[in-house]
Amino acid sequence: MSGTIPLITGATPATRRFANSSIAETIAPALVALPMALPIVTILVLAFATGDGTFLSGTQLFKLAQTTFLLCFITATLALVIGLTSAWLVAAHDFPGRALLSWMAFLPLAMPGYIIAFVYVDFFTFAGPLQSWLRRCMGWSTPGDYFFPDIRTTGGAAVVFALVLYPYVYMAARSAFARLPASQVMAARSLGRGPLTTFFLVVLPQARAALAIGVALVIMECLNDIGSVSFFGVRTFAIAIYSTWLDQGSLSGAAQLALVMLVVIFALVLGERYARKHDGLPKAPAMGRTVRRTPLSGWKGLSATFAVLLPILLGFLLPATLLLMHGFRRFDGVASPVFARALFHSALLAAAAAAITILLALVLTYGKQQAIPRFLANLGYAIPGTILAIGVIVPFSLFDHGLNALTQRLFGVSPGLVLSGSVAALIFAYVARFLIIATSMVESGVEKIPASLDQAARTLGRSSLQSFMDVKIPLLRPAMVAGGLLVFVDAMKELPATLLLRPFDFETLSTLVFTSASLGQIEDAALPALAIVAVGLAPVYLLMASLSDYRD
C-alpha cells in the first residue's frame, strides 16, 4: 500500500499495531480507565456483598420501576415528536422565520431541568402567578370554583422534561436529514409519492438510528435527574437512591437500587452504540442541498412557524423571562457573599474538571488503539450522578480511614477526611462523568489532522510521543478549548453528584438554586439560576457552529 512503511515484513495487522505501539500507548489508557471504572466496581461490591436484598423486592421496587418507566416513556415520546417535527420542518420546508428558528431550537439545552422545573411549579401552582391572576379576573376564590390541571404529577414532569430535552432528538434528526442523499427523496417523489408518504417510507426509516441515539440521551438525562422530579413530587429510582442513602442511612440498599438502574443504563449505552454502528447514512453531510425544501406560505407557513416556535417559547423563552422577572427583584444579591462564594466554588470546580478531563482525553487519544480502556473511561457519562456519588464516596472513605489508621499508628496524629471530606471527591465525580465530552472533542480534532503529518514526523526520527506532542497537540488547541468549555458548563450545572459529595457548608450555584427553590425562596434562587443559564448558552453556540456544515 502506497504511503505506508511496514516495520515488520510479513507481519499480521495485529502484530504491526503492537510493534508500532510504545509501552506508554498501551499502559497510559489503562491507568486512566481503572480509576474511572472504580464507581461501577464499588456499586457491584456493595450490592452483592452487603445488605439483605430487601430493596430489590416488594411493592417499592415495582412502584419505582413503574413511575420511572412512565416518566421516561412519556418524556421520550414527547421529545421524539417535538424534535422530529421541528427537524423535518426546518430541513424540508421554507416558512417565515425558518433561518432563525432552526438555531433557536437549541436554546432549551441551556436551561437545566431543575431550573425550569421550579420555575414552572411556582408559575402553575394554586398560589402561583397564573392561577392567582385567573382568580382575580374570574372572581374565583377556592380550588373548587374551577378546574386547573395539576402540574405536580408524572405527566407534568414529563412535559417539562421534554421541553428541555427535545433538542437532543432535534440535533440527531437534523444531522441525519443533512446526510440523507437527495436522490432517494427525489426518486420517491418522481414515483408519485406525496411529501407525507415520502417522509414515512423513505426518510424516517433511514433516520431511525440517529433518532434512537437522541432518544437514548433523553432517557439517560431523565434517569440522572433528582432536582426536577423532587419539585414535581415524583419518586423515581434516582430519588429513591438519594433518600435511601441519606434519609434511611442504608448505603447497601442504595447500592442495590443503583444496581438495578445500572442494568438499564448499560442497556441504553449498548443500544446507543449499536445504533451508531448501524447508521447506514454517510458520515459527512451530502454535497449541496440534501432535501429540496418546499415553500410554505399563508396559514401553512404560519402553522410551521408556530410548531417550531412553541417548544422554544415554552422550553426557554418563557422560563428565562420568568427568571429575569424574579432576578431583578434580587439584583442586589449579586454583591452578596453567599452568591459570590457559590459562583467562585462552581467556577473553581468546573475549571479543575475541565483541565483534568482535557489532559486525560489527550492520554486516551494518544493510546487510541485501546478500545476497552476508552470504553470504561467514557462510561461515566451514562451513570447518573446519584449512583456515581455512591461509587466515589465509599472507596474515598476507605482510603481516608486507612490513612488515618496508618498516621495514628506511626505519628500519633490523624489528618481527618482528606479525600471524602474535600472537593477532591467532587472533582473526581465530575471528571468521571464528563470525560467522554472532552474525549469526543479531542478525537474529532485528531480525525481532522492529516495522517501525513504524523508520518512525516516519524520519518524525521520523532517517536510516537514526540510526534503527538510536537505535531498533534498544537493543532488540537481549538478542539481542546471547545471540549474544556463544554465540560466547564456541564460541571457548573451538575446537581445530583454535587448535592451528595460536596463538603459541609459548601455551596455551588446548582446547590444554591436547589436549596432556595426547595424552601420556596424562588426569588433567591433566580439569580444563581440566571448565572447557570447564561453560562449554558456557550455550548449552544458551539452546537450551532458544529452544525454549520448543515446550512443550506
Side-chain angles (χ1 to χ4, degrees), residues 39 74 106 203 226 233 267 287 303 338 458:
I74 298 176
F106 292 105
V203 177
I226 64 173
M287 296 299 294
S303 299
V338 175
R458 298 298 295 274

Side-chain angles (χ1 to χ4, degrees), residues 231-245:
F231 293 131
F232 286 100
V234 178
R235 185 171 173 81
T236 62
F237 265 105
I239 288 290
I241 294 170
Y242 180 84
S243 62
T244 300
W245 178 6

Side-chain angles (χ1 to χ4, degrees), residues 11 18 44 53 60 104 172 176 195 282-283 302 312 375 386 424 439 499 506:
F18 180 80
L44 293 174
Q60 182 191 30
M104 288 181 66
K283 298 302 179 185
L302 293 177
I312 301 172
F375 173 77
T386 48
T439 304
L499 278 174
F506 186 91

